[in-house]
Each structure stands twice: as structure tokens, then as C-alpha cells.
Amino acid sequence: MPLFFILSGMVASLSRERNTALYAWKFIKRRFRQLALPFFIWGLIFTPLVFKQSHGIYDYSLMAISLLKHPDEGLWFLIVLFCIQIYYYIACLIGNLLKRFNMKFSGDIIGMLVVLSVLTIVTRYIGTSQYISLQYTLMFFVGCFILKFRILDNAFINAILLLIFAIIVPYYDFISSPTIFRIFTGIFASLPIIHICKVTAESSERVSPFLNFGRHSLEIYATHYCIILGFKQGIRIESLSPIALCLLLFIISCVLCYLITQFSSILCKNKYFAMFLYGK
């Protein structure tokens, strides 16, 4: 997920200049259609149908309430990204205000720091919530900085990041690793991958399959969720070494991504499927 949120931050920063108070409501409506609407559609209609979790009006209403309280029961990353997009817009508004005081360069940075500070305080008093995800908000903001300061253009920095990742990844654990360690591991792993894809795109006249996957990332993330949940109970990974696990997941992921992009491209030919399922 770090790569997903870092890329989302990079994409969001491309339209930074349009983030003004005048377009705030239009921005919220557009992001609601792109992110929140698919979250509710997949969570309240398709996920229950696939897993037979709903058998009547009463059960269905309980599941709707449960989905709002616990977004991780559905496509949680969509609603988390929707919230983060709102936080980013607020940071941009703060940056716009500071630019009036000749703080053009540091305005956005201060705005993001203010937002992160407020979220930290809120989390401390009300507890953790997926609607207020500090780690993914930070990764999103990292994506904004990457594009703003063109970090990916420096091959030496990417080599250093890849070296750091190779050193720390043996100590990574999905369950017991501290949150801050997981955040930096995700960042160090994601940036070299983005750099490699960028170099591949610039040096090749053909569109790489991996770049094509990136263009359909939302479709892949949304559709694969049901498939993964359907198999997770039968997959045992304790006996696999980290290298074997990575290779196995890479092969499975490539096959799934290809099949999902083909399937979603057919669905998206219908404008209603495209809008409700993938926010297009």
C-alpha cells in the first residue's frame, strides 16, 4: 500500500495550482465520485454478494453501519485516500494563505506539517481511526515532495534508497515491526520501483505491461480485493522463505493484474459500470 499512496500523492501534486478555495466544493464532489462512491458500491453491494454476508434487509442494514464504523471490511484504501485528499487540499489552502506573506516555497510544506500535527493531536485524544491515517497521509505527502523536488531524477539518491531498503528489509515483520519502521521501509522500497518504471517509460517506445498496470491501478486494487479475500483462508505462507514468498507473490500479482485490466476494460465500456465501480 505505500506505493499506492505515494503514487497518489505524486498525481495529486500535478494539479496543485487548482487547489484553491474557489474550487473546493468541486474538488470534493469529484473525489467523492472517484473514491468514496466505489468504496460504498463495492462494500455494500458486491462484497456481500460474493461472500454471502447479507441475507436480508436487516442483515444488510447492519452491514452498512458496520462498514462505516470499520472501513477495513471493504475497500478501505479508497475511503482512506478520499480523506487524505481532503487533508491535502486543506494543506494547500494553508499554503495559498502563506504565499501572500512571501512564503511561496515553504508555504505548502508548512501547510502539510500543520495538517499532520492536527491529525496527530486528534488521534491522541480520540484514538486511531482509518479515517485519520497518519502513516498513509505521510506517505501521500512524501509523494507530493518527490514530484515537487524531482527526487526521482537523481539516480544516485535512488541507488542509496535501494541500498538502505536491502539492509533493513531482513528485519521487517508484518506484525511486530513498529509503525515508523514500516513507513520508512515502504518508502525506501517504493521510490526505486517508481524510478525504474520512469526510466523504462522514457527509454522504451512500447508501453510496458507494468506501466499499463499503473494506469489501471484503481481497477486492480478494487477488483483484486474480492479475489484475495476469497483465497486468504487457504494460503499458508509461514513455511516460505522471504525470497520464495516475494517470487511467488510477484508471479501471482502479474497474472492477476493482467486478467483484471482486461476484465475492467470490458466493464468500463459501460459508463455506469465505469462510474459506480471505478469512479471514472
Side-chain angles (χ1 to χ4, degrees), residues 157-169:
I157 292 179
N158 283 278
I160 294 297
L161 293 174
L162 187 60
L163 177 62
I164 295 174
F165 171 73
I167 294 173
I168 66 176
V169 72

Side-chain angles (χ1 to χ4, degrees), residues 12-32:
S13 65
L14 293 173
S15 57
R16 163 66 184 91
E17 298 305 318
R18 295 201 298 267
N19 294 349
T20 62
L22 181 64
Y23 294 100
W25 180 239
K26 183 178 180 180
F27 173 87
I28 294 174
K29 290 193 296 183
R30 185 170 66 251
R31 290 294 179 265
F32 184 89

